[in-house]
Amino acid sequence: MEHSIFNHSTFVSINSRILELRPSAKRQWGKMNLVQMMRHLTIATGSGIRVYKLHDESSYLSRTFLKFLVLRLLRRLPHNAPAPKSFRTETKILLDFSAEKANVLNILELAYSSTQGIYLHPMFGKMNRNEWGTLVYRHFDHHLRQFGA
């Protein structure tokens, strides 16, 4: 079965990996530090469940080809893949580790328990439940691997 945030065992696995994160975790690639990455995941996931309203940055190409590539062809997101502008976290701001960890765990729980039929993504546009569940899993997995979790 495809990994999805709506699969209970996948949700538990991602949740456990977040709980294991420590402030000393070092990134393997990218520019964000650990706390910024957690804020990034909170905003990205929260936008899909309408906790945050983000600007539509999609194009026909991103809603069709890019979405197909990410969801159907790639098994993992590539390192240093560009994020929608609205998902980017300012790398010069200081954030609190404990607060951001609590926020990302909360948004993960909200995503897991969400029951929407349509989820919104700034680059991929409207996504059905299966698409969005897969994308959320891959996004979390990508960034948790980025920090060795």
Side-chain angles (χ1 to χ4, degrees), residues 60-112:
Y60 178 76
L61 186 65
S62 69
R63 289 187 306 270
T64 56
F65 176 73
L66 189 57
K67 182 173 151 180
F68 178 82
L69 178 70
V70 168
L71 294 176
R72 304 278 188 266
L73 298 181
L74 300 177
R75 287 292 156 223
R76 288 189 169 170
L77 299 177
H79 297 184
N80 299 316
K85 291 176 187 167
S86 52
F87 285 7
R88 295 184 189 150
T89 301
E90 173 57 50
T91 56
K92 296 191 183 349
I93 62 172
L94 295 176
L95 300 167
D96 179 71
F97 175 82
S98 296
E100 293 306 321
K101 189 172 182 179
N103 289 341
V104 76
L105 287 165
N106 181 58
I107 211 74
L108 181 67
E109 174 70 35
L110 290 173
Y112 170 69

Side-chain angles (χ1 to χ4, degrees), residues 108-125:
L108 181 67
E109 174 70 35
L110 290 173
Y112 170 69
S113 61
S114 70
T115 58
Q116 297 168 203
I118 298 294
Y119 296 82
L120 302 176
H121 188 276
M123 295 228 8
F124 301 144

Side-chain angles (χ1 to χ4, degrees), residues 44-45 47-50 54-58 62-63 66-67 70 82-84 86-87 118-127 132 135-136 139:
T45 306
S47 70
I49 55 175
R50 297 177 175 98
L54 302 181
H55 177 71
D56 180 15
E57 301 173 38
S58 70
S62 69
R63 289 187 306 270
L66 189 57
K67 182 173 151 180
V70 168
S86 52
F87 285 7
I118 298 294
Y119 296 82
L120 302 176
H121 188 276
M123 295 228 8
F124 301 144
K126 293 178 181 177
M127 301 182 78
W132 194 76
L135 182 64
V136 170
H139 195 200

